[in-house]
Amino acid sequence: LRGDLSVWVERSGRCTYGKIVVKGPLLCFSYDDDPRDDNCWMPFMKDEQLLVISRSTFQVQKITQITTEDLGCADQPVS
């Protein structure tokens, strides 16, 4: 998977593909099923944990896994 592409895997196993755009300190995502370009997050560290905060809702999420391994998604884009 290229560095500007992302795969979001939900707990149900459903995979959603999207693109990543860096806008200053923000990581902005545009997904195939939600093409808005305002889905932006600012990463930060707290207590040695990588977290992100949403620019629009201020929701905070903990990044639990970043991997280059196959996620088992059907039709995973590679380029």
Side-chain angles (χ1 to χ4, degrees), residues 5-72:
L5 299 177
S6 71
V7 179
W8 179 267
V9 182
E10 298 178 15
R11 289 184 184 183
S12 67
R14 179 179 174 264
C15 300
T16 302
Y17 302 100
K19 294 186 179 186
I20 305 168
V21 176
V22 177
K23 295 182 180 179
L26 301 173
L27 298 175
C28 301
F29 298 85
S30 176
Y31 291 101
D32 293 346
D33 64 348
D34 185 4
R36 298 174 300 140
D37 65 354
D38 65 344
N39 187 9
C40 296
W41 299 78
M42 181 183 296
F44 66 99
M45 296 293 294
K46 181 177 180 185
D47 300 327
E48 298 185 26
Q49 291 285 328
L50 177 58
L51 305 168
V52 290
I53 185 167
S54 169
R55 180 185 73 156
S56 59
T57 66
F58 302 105
Q59 175 188 27
V60 174
Q61 293 184 6
K62 180 170 72 170
I63 305 302
T64 58
Q65 184 177 12
I66 298 173
T67 184
T68 57
E69 295 179 20
D70 186 336
L71 300 174

